Amino acid sequence: MTANSASNVHDSPLREAATELEAAFLTEMLKSAGFGKSRETMGGGAGEDQYASLLVRAQAEQIAKTGGIGLAESLFNALKDKHHDG
């Protein structure tokens, strides 16, 4: 195993955590923007609201995994530098 691949093994959980944090942030932003709210006409009630929140979370996770808004990458780089420094 090379030094670079050993570093990647240790960075993987850190990158995953940064991506999860970005997904959580995006979930709240999407909810705040009104995504996942049930429509007034032919609304499905509480059940629809539950599934809508799951859909918003899944969408946020997909956005984060495909590059997102760059928050995960910024967090990853900052935390990686901090971890290697000290």
Side-chain angles (χ1 to χ4, degrees):
M1 187 183 294
T2 66
N4 193 16
S5 62
S7 177
N8 289 341
V9 169
H10 295 293
D11 290 347
S12 181
L14 187 59
R15 184 173 296 282
E16 202 171 296
T19 302
E20 279 297 313
L21 185 60
E22 181 174 3
F25 175 77
L26 287 170
T27 298
E28 293 307 313
M29 292 300 101
L30 290 172
K31 285 180 187 176
S32 168
F35 286 87
K37 290 189 178 180
S38 56
R39 294 176 214 92
E40 296 300 318
T41 60
M42 298 176 57
E48 183 179 358
D49 290 341
Q50 282 293 339
Y51 283 109
S53 69
L54 295 174
L55 177 61
V56 169
R57 176 63 185 190
Q59 289 169 329
E61 287 173 356
Q62 246 348 87
I63 292 169
K65 285 179 185 175
T66 58
I69 58 173
L71 180 62
E73 192 64 25
S74 294
L75 287 169
F76 172 74
N77 289 328
L79 293 172
K80 184 177 79 166
D81 292 343
K82 185 80 168 166
H83 175 71
H84 290 300
D85 288 345

